[in-house]
């Protein structure tokens, strides 16, 4: 059973809700089978998908179409949505009126699909993608340049120094980004601050678990 409700008040762990419809107490007692009924609360952000989100989703679907050989207008949108729903177990949604939260989830899944399957990006599509923490982690994980999408190496924001054994460096002090050879050379050529300002990059600081998962350091 699912009901919609508005939150009237929150005091610590006590939440007061106002339901849109009346509840059949007898049915709830029957479903609870003599136990204390439990409910699951999901907070809706009440914001609908933005034009920017929709554009990025369709851009990624277009890249997948080119990579797979399907026609964009026909097979790919339905195939990708079906695969997303199957893998995540989420409820059906429409890109015309879903929430921003749902759109972000689908966009994130599409990005992972493209990276996992090495789907090539055109420059236009790559430039549309968000430059945020999650995207930087994806680029580091898949060794994709966060600027152009080409094969990348792990770059330190701070200079490590020549002759030092990187396996003996305390990597918890450093910020990281994934850069191809061309952009890595440019970083050293024009200086880190000019480089970050030019490309509007936000390098990430990684905890022990992330560095282990991304195979950074000894």
């Amino acid at each position: 059973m699912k009901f919609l409700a508005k939150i009237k008040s929150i005091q610590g762990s006590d939440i007061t809700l106002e339901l849109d419809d009346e509840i059949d107490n007898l049915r709830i007692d029957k479903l609870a089978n003599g136990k204390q009924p439990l409910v699951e609360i999901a907070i809706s952000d009440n914001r609908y998908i933005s034009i920017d989100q929709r554009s990025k989703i369709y851009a990624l679907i277009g890249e997948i179409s080119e990579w797979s050989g399907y026609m964009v207008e026909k097979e790919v949108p339905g195939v990708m949505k079906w695969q997303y729903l199957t893998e995540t177990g989420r409820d059906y949604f429409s890109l015309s009126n879903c929430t921003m939260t749902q759109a972000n989830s689908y966009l994130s899944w599409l990005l992972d699909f493209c990276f996992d399957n090495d789907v090539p990006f055109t420059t236009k599509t790559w430039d549309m993608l968000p430059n945020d923490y999650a995207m930087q982690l994806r680029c580091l994980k898949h060794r994709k340049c966060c600027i152009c999408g080409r094969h990348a190496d792990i770059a330190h924001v701070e200079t490590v120094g020549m002759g030092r054994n990187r396996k003996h460096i305390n990597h918890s002090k450093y910020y990281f980004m994934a850069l191809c050879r061309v952009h890595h050379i440019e970083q050293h050529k024009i200086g880190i601050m000019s480089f970050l300002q030019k490309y509007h990059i936000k390098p990430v600081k990684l905890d022990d678990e992330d560095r282990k998962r991304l195979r950074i350091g000894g």
Side-chain angles (χ1 to χ4, degrees), residues 53-103:
Q53 287 176 314
R54 191 180 294 111
S55 297
K56 290 174 180 176
I57 287 172
Y58 280 120
L60 289 177
I61 290 175
E63 302 290 17
I64 294 170
S65 176
E66 290 293 325
W67 165 77
S68 65
Y70 286 109
M71 292 294 292
V72 176
E73 295 81 5
K74 295 182 180 180
E75 292 92 346
V76 174
V79 169
M80 298 312 298
K81 183 183 288 187
W82 174 84
Q83 187 168 338
Y84 166 78
L85 295 175
T86 301
E87 291 185 6
T88 62
R90 292 189 178 255
D91 295 330
Y92 181 83
F93 65 96
S94 171
L95 290 177
S96 63
N97 59 2
C98 67
T99 65
M100 280 191 168
T101 299
Q102 175 63 77

Short mmCIF file of all heavy atoms in Angstrom, two decimals, residues 53-103:
data_model
loop_
_atom_site.label_atom_id
_atom_site.label_comp_id
_atom_site.label_asym_id
_atom_site.label_seq_id
_atom_site.Cartn_x
_atom_site.Cartn_y
_atom_site.Cartn_z
N GLN A 53 19.21 18.83 -17.87
CA GLN A 53 19.28 17.40 -17.61
C GLN A 53 18.78 16.59 -18.80
O GLN A 53 19.40 15.62 -19.22
CB GLN A 53 18.47 17.04 -16.37
CG GLN A 53 19.07 17.46 -15.06
CD GLN A 53 18.14 17.15 -13.90
OE1 GLN A 53 16.94 17.42 -13.95
NE2 GLN A 53 18.67 16.56 -12.85
N ARG A 54 17.63 17.02 -19.34
CA ARG A 54 17.05 16.30 -20.47
C ARG A 54 17.98 16.34 -21.68
O ARG A 54 18.14 15.34 -22.39
CB ARG A 54 15.69 16.89 -20.82
CG ARG A 54 14.89 16.04 -21.82
CD ARG A 54 13.55 16.66 -22.13
NE ARG A 54 12.66 16.67 -20.98
CZ ARG A 54 12.29 17.78 -20.34
NH1 ARG A 54 12.73 18.95 -20.74
NH2 ARG A 54 11.48 17.71 -19.30
N SER A 55 18.62 17.48 -21.91
CA SER A 55 19.53 17.61 -23.05
C SER A 55 20.73 16.68 -22.90
O SER A 55 21.16 16.03 -23.86
CB SER A 55 20.01 19.07 -23.18
OG SER A 55 18.94 19.94 -23.44
N LYS A 56 21.28 16.59 -21.68
CA LYS A 56 22.43 15.72 -21.44
C LYS A 56 22.05 14.25 -21.59
O LYS A 56 22.82 13.45 -22.13
CB LYS A 56 23.00 15.98 -20.04
CG LYS A 56 23.68 17.33 -19.92
CD LYS A 56 24.10 17.62 -18.49
CE LYS A 56 24.77 18.99 -18.39
NZ LYS A 56 25.10 19.36 -17.00
N ILE A 57 20.87 13.89 -21.12
CA ILE A 57 20.41 12.50 -21.24
C ILE A 57 20.28 12.11 -22.70
O ILE A 57 20.77 11.06 -23.13
CB ILE A 57 19.08 12.31 -20.49
CG1 ILE A 57 19.32 12.33 -18.98
CG2 ILE A 57 18.40 11.00 -20.91
CD1 ILE A 57 18.05 12.34 -18.14
N TYR A 58 19.63 12.96 -23.49
CA TYR A 58 19.45 12.64 -24.91
C TYR A 58 20.77 12.69 -25.67
O TYR A 58 20.94 11.95 -26.66
CB TYR A 58 18.41 13.57 -25.53
CG TYR A 58 16.99 13.17 -25.23
CD1 TYR A 58 16.12 14.02 -24.56
CD2 TYR A 58 16.52 11.91 -25.59
CE1 TYR A 58 14.82 13.64 -24.26
CE2 TYR A 58 15.22 11.52 -25.30
CZ TYR A 58 14.38 12.39 -24.64
OH TYR A 58 13.09 12.00 -24.35
N ALA A 59 21.69 13.53 -25.23
CA ALA A 59 23.01 13.56 -25.87
C ALA A 59 23.74 12.24 -25.64
O ALA A 59 24.36 11.69 -26.57
CB ALA A 59 23.84 14.73 -25.32
N LEU A 60 23.68 11.73 -24.42
CA LEU A 60 24.32 10.44 -24.12
C LEU A 60 23.64 9.30 -24.88
O LEU A 60 24.32 8.41 -25.40
CB LEU A 60 24.27 10.17 -22.61
CG LEU A 60 25.17 11.04 -21.74
CD1 LEU A 60 24.97 10.70 -20.27
CD2 LEU A 60 26.64 10.85 -22.10
N ILE A 61 22.32 9.35 -24.95
CA ILE A 61 21.60 8.32 -25.71
C ILE A 61 21.99 8.38 -27.18
O ILE A 61 22.12 7.35 -27.85
CB ILE A 61 20.08 8.48 -25.53
CG1 ILE A 61 19.68 8.11 -24.10
CG2 ILE A 61 19.31 7.62 -26.53
CD1 ILE A 61 18.22 8.33 -23.77
N GLY A 62 22.21 9.59 -27.70
CA GLY A 62 22.66 9.73 -29.07
C GLY A 62 24.03 9.11 -29.30
O GLY A 62 24.27 8.45 -30.32
N GLU A 63 24.94 9.29 -28.33
CA GLU A 63 26.28 8.69 -28.44
C GLU A 63 26.18 7.17 -28.39
O GLU A 63 26.88 6.46 -29.12
CB GLU A 63 27.17 9.19 -27.30
CG GLU A 63 27.36 10.69 -27.22
CD GLU A 63 28.21 11.24 -28.36
OE1 GLU A 63 28.40 10.56 -29.38
OE2 GLU A 63 28.68 12.38 -28.22
N ILE A 64 25.30 6.66 -27.52
CA ILE A 64 25.12 5.21 -27.42
C ILE A 64 24.55 4.67 -28.73
O ILE A 64 24.91 3.59 -29.18
CB ILE A 64 24.19 4.87 -26.23
CG1 ILE A 64 24.88 5.25 -24.91
CG2 ILE A 64 23.84 3.39 -26.22
CD1 ILE A 64 23.97 5.18 -23.70
N SER A 65 23.65 5.45 -29.34
CA SER A 65 23.06 5.03 -30.61
C SER A 65 24.14 4.92 -31.69
O SER A 65 24.18 3.94 -32.45
CB SER A 65 21.99 6.04 -31.05
OG SER A 65 21.48 5.71 -32.32
N GLU A 66 25.00 5.93 -31.77
CA GLU A 66 26.08 5.90 -32.76
C GLU A 66 27.01 4.71 -32.51
O GLU A 66 27.47 4.05 -33.44
CB GLU A 66 26.88 7.20 -32.71
CG GLU A 66 26.13 8.41 -33.23
CD GLU A 66 25.87 8.33 -34.72
OE1 GLU A 66 26.74 7.79 -35.43
OE2 GLU A 66 24.80 8.79 -35.17
N TRP A 67 27.29 4.44 -31.25
CA TRP A 67 28.19 3.36 -30.88
C TRP A 67 27.58 1.99 -31.17
O TRP A 67 28.27 1.07 -31.61
CB TRP A 67 28.53 3.49 -29.40
CG TRP A 67 29.15 2.30 -28.77
CD1 TRP A 67 30.45 1.87 -28.88
CD2 TRP A 67 28.50 1.36 -27.88
NE1 TRP A 67 30.65 0.75 -28.13
CE2 TRP A 67 29.48 0.40 -27.50
CE3 TRP A 67 27.22 1.26 -27.37
CZ2 TRP A 67 29.19 -0.65 -26.64
CZ3 TRP A 67 26.92 0.21 -26.52
CH2 TRP A 67 27.90 -0.72 -26.16
N SER A 68 26.26 1.87 -30.94
CA SER A 68 25.62 0.57 -31.05
C SER A 68 25.07 0.28 -32.44
O SER A 68 24.87 -0.88 -32.80
CB SER A 68 24.48 0.46 -30.04
OG SER A 68 23.45 1.40 -30.35
N GLY A 69 24.77 1.35 -33.20
CA GLY A 69 24.21 1.15 -34.54
C GLY A 69 22.70 1.24 -34.58
O GLY A 69 22.11 1.12 -35.65
N TYR A 70 22.05 1.49 -33.43
CA TYR A 70 20.60 1.65 -33.42
C TYR A 70 20.20 3.04 -33.92
O TYR A 70 21.02 3.95 -33.95
CB TYR A 70 20.04 1.47 -32.00
CG TYR A 70 20.00 0.06 -31.51
CD1 TYR A 70 20.87 -0.37 -30.50
CD2 TYR A 70 19.09 -0.85 -32.02
CE1 TYR A 70 20.83 -1.67 -30.03
CE2 TYR A 70 19.04 -2.15 -31.55
CZ TYR A 70 19.92 -2.56 -30.55
OH TYR A 70 19.88 -3.84 -30.10
N MET A 71 18.92 3.19 -34.27
CA MET A 71 18.38 4.50 -34.63
C MET A 71 17.95 5.22 -33.35
O MET A 71 17.25 4.67 -32.51
CB MET A 71 17.19 4.35 -35.56
CG MET A 71 17.54 3.82 -36.93
SD MET A 71 18.57 4.98 -37.87
CE MET A 71 17.38 6.29 -38.14
N VAL A 72 18.38 6.49 -33.20
CA VAL A 72 18.07 7.25 -31.98
C VAL A 72 16.57 7.36 -31.77
O VAL A 72 16.06 7.19 -30.67
CB VAL A 72 18.69 8.66 -32.06
CG1 VAL A 72 18.29 9.49 -30.85
CG2 VAL A 72 20.20 8.57 -32.15
N GLU A 73 15.81 7.66 -32.83
CA GLU A 73 14.38 7.92 -32.69
C GLU A 73 13.58 6.68 -32.30
O GLU A 73 12.46 6.80 -31.82
CB GLU A 73 13.81 8.49 -34.00
CG GLU A 73 14.37 9.85 -34.40
CD GLU A 73 15.72 9.74 -35.08
OE1 GLU A 73 16.18 8.59 -35.33
OE2 GLU A 73 16.34 10.78 -35.34
N LYS A 74 14.14 5.51 -32.50
CA LYS A 74 13.35 4.30 -32.30
C LYS A 74 13.84 3.45 -31.13
O LYS A 74 13.29 3.50 -30.03
CB LYS A 74 13.36 3.48 -33.59
CG LYS A 74 12.66 4.19 -34.74
CD LYS A 74 12.65 3.33 -35.98
CE LYS A 74 11.94 4.04 -37.14
NZ LYS A 74 11.92 3.22 -38.37
N GLU A 75 14.89 2.67 -31.34
CA GLU A 75 15.22 1.63 -30.37
C GLU A 75 15.92 2.10 -29.11
O GLU A 75 15.56 1.69 -28.00
CB GLU A 75 16.08 0.55 -31.04
CG GLU A 75 15.37 -0.27 -32.11
CD GLU A 75 15.53 0.33 -33.49
OE1 GLU A 75 15.97 1.49 -33.56
OE2 GLU A 75 15.23 -0.37 -34.48
N VAL A 76 16.93 2.94 -29.25
CA VAL A 76 17.84 3.21 -28.12
C VAL A 76 17.17 3.80 -26.88
O VAL A 76 17.40 3.30 -25.77
CB VAL A 76 19.02 4.09 -28.56
CG1 VAL A 76 19.88 4.50 -27.37
CG2 VAL A 76 19.87 3.35 -29.57
N PRO A 77 16.35 4.86 -26.98
CA PRO A 77 15.74 5.40 -25.75
C PRO A 77 14.98 4.35 -24.94
O PRO A 77 15.13 4.27 -23.72
CB PRO A 77 14.81 6.49 -26.28
CG PRO A 77 15.42 6.91 -27.56
CD PRO A 77 15.97 5.65 -28.17
N GLY A 78 14.19 3.54 -25.64
CA GLY A 78 13.42 2.51 -24.94
C GLY A 78 14.30 1.41 -24.38
O GLY A 78 14.08 0.94 -23.26
N VAL A 79 15.31 1.00 -25.15
CA VAL A 79 16.21 -0.07 -24.70
C VAL A 79 16.98 0.37 -23.46
O VAL A 79 17.10 -0.38 -22.48
CB VAL A 79 17.18 -0.47 -25.83
CG1 VAL A 79 18.30 -1.36 -25.28
CG2 VAL A 79 16.44 -1.18 -26.95
N MET A 80 17.51 1.59 -23.47
CA MET A 80 18.31 2.07 -22.34
C MET A 80 17.45 2.25 -21.09
O MET A 80 17.87 1.91 -19.98
CB MET A 80 19.01 3.38 -22.69
CG MET A 80 20.00 3.27 -23.85
SD MET A 80 21.14 1.86 -23.72
CE MET A 80 22.01 2.25 -22.19
N LYS A 81 16.24 2.79 -21.27
CA LYS A 81 15.37 2.96 -20.10
C LYS A 81 14.98 1.61 -19.52
O LYS A 81 14.96 1.43 -18.30
CB LYS A 81 14.12 3.75 -20.48
CG LYS A 81 13.21 4.03 -19.28
CD LYS A 81 11.94 4.75 -19.67
CE LYS A 81 12.20 6.18 -20.05
NZ LYS A 81 10.94 6.93 -20.28
N TRP A 82 14.67 0.64 -20.39
CA TRP A 82 14.31 -0.70 -19.92
C TRP A 82 15.47 -1.32 -19.15
O TRP A 82 15.29 -1.93 -18.09
CB TRP A 82 13.93 -1.58 -21.10
CG TRP A 82 13.69 -3.02 -20.72
CD1 TRP A 82 12.54 -3.56 -20.23
CD2 TRP A 82 14.64 -4.09 -20.78
NE1 TRP A 82 12.72 -4.91 -19.98
CE2 TRP A 82 14.00 -5.26 -20.30
CE3 TRP A 82 15.97 -4.18 -21.19
CZ2 TRP A 82 14.65 -6.48 -20.23
CZ3 TRP A 82 16.61 -5.40 -21.12
CH2 TRP A 82 15.95 -6.54 -20.65
N GLN A 83 16.70 -1.18 -19.67
CA GLN A 83 17.86 -1.76 -18.99
C GLN A 83 18.09 -1.07 -17.65
O GLN A 83 18.43 -1.73 -16.66
CB GLN A 83 19.10 -1.63 -19.88
CG GLN A 83 20.31 -2.37 -19.33
CD GLN A 83 21.42 -2.49 -20.36
OE1 GLN A 83 21.19 -2.40 -21.56
NE2 GLN A 83 22.65 -2.67 -19.89
N TYR A 84 17.91 0.25 -17.61
CA TYR A 84 18.07 0.99 -16.35
C TYR A 84 17.05 0.51 -15.32
O TYR A 84 17.40 0.24 -14.16
CB TYR A 84 17.89 2.48 -16.62
CG TYR A 84 17.68 3.32 -15.39
CD1 TYR A 84 18.75 3.67 -14.56
CD2 TYR A 84 16.41 3.76 -15.02
CE1 TYR A 84 18.55 4.44 -13.43
CE2 TYR A 84 16.20 4.54 -13.89
CZ TYR A 84 17.28 4.86 -13.10
OH TYR A 84 17.08 5.62 -11.97
N LEU A 85 15.79 0.40 -15.71
CA LEU A 85 14.74 -0.03 -14.78
C LEU A 85 14.99 -1.46 -14.31
O LEU A 85 14.77 -1.78 -13.14
CB LEU A 85 13.37 0.06 -15.46
CG LEU A 85 12.90 1.46 -15.85
CD1 LEU A 85 11.58 1.38 -16.62
CD2 LEU A 85 12.74 2.35 -14.62
N THR A 86 15.48 -2.31 -15.20
CA THR A 86 15.74 -3.71 -14.85
C THR A 86 16.88 -3.81 -13.84
O THR A 86 16.81 -4.56 -12.87
CB THR A 86 16.09 -4.52 -16.11
OG1 THR A 86 15.00 -4.46 -17.03
CG2 THR A 86 16.36 -5.98 -15.74
N GLU A 87 17.96 -3.05 -14.07
CA GLU A 87 19.13 -3.14 -13.20
C GLU A 87 18.92 -2.47 -11.85
O GLU A 87 19.46 -2.93 -10.84
CB GLU A 87 20.34 -2.52 -13.91
CG GLU A 87 20.84 -3.33 -15.10
CD GLU A 87 22.11 -2.75 -15.69
OE1 GLU A 87 22.65 -1.78 -15.10
OE2 GLU A 87 22.56 -3.25 -16.73
N THR A 88 18.17 -1.37 -11.83
CA THR A 88 18.03 -0.60 -10.59
C THR A 88 16.77 -0.95 -9.81
O THR A 88 16.69 -0.67 -8.62
CB THR A 88 18.00 0.91 -10.90
OG1 THR A 88 16.85 1.21 -11.72
CG2 THR A 88 19.28 1.32 -11.63
N GLY A 89 15.78 -1.55 -10.48
CA GLY A 89 14.53 -1.87 -9.81
C GLY A 89 13.65 -0.67 -9.54
O GLY A 89 12.70 -0.75 -8.75
N ARG A 90 13.94 0.46 -10.20
CA ARG A 90 13.15 1.67 -9.97
C ARG A 90 11.83 1.60 -10.74
O ARG A 90 11.66 0.82 -11.67
CB ARG A 90 13.94 2.91 -10.39
CG ARG A 90 15.14 3.17 -9.49
CD ARG A 90 15.75 4.50 -9.79
NE ARG A 90 16.88 4.78 -8.90
CZ ARG A 90 16.84 5.62 -7.90
NH1 ARG A 90 15.74 6.27 -7.63
NH2 ARG A 90 17.91 5.83 -7.16
N ASP A 91 10.90 2.47 -10.33
CA ASP A 91 9.59 2.54 -10.99
C ASP A 91 9.72 3.25 -12.33
O ASP A 91 10.64 4.07 -12.55
CB ASP A 91 8.59 3.28 -10.11
CG ASP A 91 8.29 2.54 -8.82
OD1 ASP A 91 8.37 1.29 -8.83
OD2 ASP A 91 8.00 3.21 -7.80
N TYR A 92 8.78 2.96 -13.22
CA TYR A 92 8.78 3.59 -14.54
C TYR A 92 8.66 5.10 -14.38
O TYR A 92 8.00 5.60 -13.47
CB TYR A 92 7.62 3.05 -15.37
CG TYR A 92 7.58 3.65 -16.76
CD1 TYR A 92 8.36 3.14 -17.78
CD2 TYR A 92 6.77 4.75 -17.02
CE1 TYR A 92 8.34 3.70 -19.05
CE2 TYR A 92 6.74 5.32 -18.29
CZ TYR A 92 7.53 4.79 -19.30
OH TYR A 92 7.51 5.36 -20.54
N PHE A 93 9.28 5.85 -15.28
CA PHE A 93 9.25 7.30 -15.24
C PHE A 93 9.24 7.84 -16.67
O PHE A 93 9.55 7.13 -17.63
CB PHE A 93 10.46 7.86 -14.49
CG PHE A 93 11.78 7.58 -15.19
CD1 PHE A 93 12.35 8.52 -16.02
CD2 PHE A 93 12.41 6.36 -15.02
CE1 PHE A 93 13.55 8.24 -16.68
CE2 PHE A 93 13.60 6.07 -15.67
CZ PHE A 93 14.18 7.02 -16.50
N SER A 94 8.88 9.09 -16.80
CA SER A 94 8.89 9.76 -18.09
C SER A 94 9.86 10.94 -18.04
O SER A 94 9.88 11.69 -17.05
CB SER A 94 7.49 10.27 -18.45
OG SER A 94 7.53 11.09 -19.60
N LEU A 95 10.65 11.11 -19.09
CA LEU A 95 11.59 12.24 -19.14
C LEU A 95 10.88 13.57 -19.35
O LEU A 95 11.51 14.61 -19.33
CB LEU A 95 12.62 12.01 -20.25
CG LEU A 95 13.64 10.91 -20.00
CD1 LEU A 95 14.54 10.73 -21.21
CD2 LEU A 95 14.46 11.19 -18.76
N SER A 96 9.59 13.54 -19.55
CA SER A 96 8.84 14.78 -19.73
C SER A 96 8.48 15.44 -18.41
O SER A 96 8.35 16.66 -18.33
CB SER A 96 7.57 14.52 -20.54
OG SER A 96 6.69 13.66 -19.84
N ASN A 97 8.34 14.62 -17.34
CA ASN A 97 7.88 15.21 -16.08
C ASN A 97 8.43 14.53 -14.83
O ASN A 97 7.86 14.68 -13.75
CB ASN A 97 6.35 15.19 -16.02
CG ASN A 97 5.79 13.78 -16.12
OD1 ASN A 97 6.53 12.80 -16.19
ND2 ASN A 97 4.47 13.67 -16.15
N CYS A 98 9.52 13.77 -14.95
CA CYS A 98 10.08 13.12 -13.75
C CYS A 98 10.78 14.17 -12.88
O CYS A 98 11.02 15.30 -13.30
CB CYS A 98 11.04 12.01 -14.15
SG CYS A 98 12.55 12.57 -14.97
N THR A 99 11.14 13.79 -11.66
CA THR A 99 11.82 14.71 -10.75
C THR A 99 13.28 14.86 -11.14
O THR A 99 13.85 14.04 -11.86
CB THR A 99 11.74 14.22 -9.31
OG1 THR A 99 12.46 12.98 -9.20
CG2 THR A 99 10.30 14.01 -8.87
N MET A 100 13.90 15.90 -10.62
CA MET A 100 15.33 16.10 -10.84
C MET A 100 16.13 14.95 -10.25
O MET A 100 17.15 14.54 -10.81
CB MET A 100 15.79 17.42 -10.23
CG MET A 100 15.49 18.64 -11.04
SD MET A 100 16.34 20.10 -10.39
CE MET A 100 16.08 21.25 -11.74
N THR A 101 15.68 14.43 -9.11
CA THR A 101 16.37 13.31 -8.47
C THR A 101 16.37 12.10 -9.38
O THR A 101 17.39 11.43 -9.56
CB THR A 101 15.70 12.97 -7.12
OG1 THR A 101 15.78 14.09 -6.25
CG2 THR A 101 16.39 11.78 -6.47
N GLN A 102 15.21 11.79 -9.98
CA GLN A 102 15.12 10.66 -10.90
C GLN A 102 15.97 10.89 -12.14
O GLN A 102 16.66 9.99 -12.63
CB GLN A 102 13.66 10.45 -11.31
CG GLN A 102 13.46 9.36 -12.37
CD GLN A 102 13.87 8.00 -11.88
OE1 GLN A 102 13.15 7.37 -11.11
NE2 GLN A 102 15.03 7.51 -12.30
N ALA A 103 15.94 12.12 -12.66
CA ALA A 103 16.74 12.45 -13.84
C ALA A 103 18.23 12.31 -13.56
O ALA A 103 18.99 11.79 -14.38
CB ALA A 103 16.41 13.86 -14.32
#
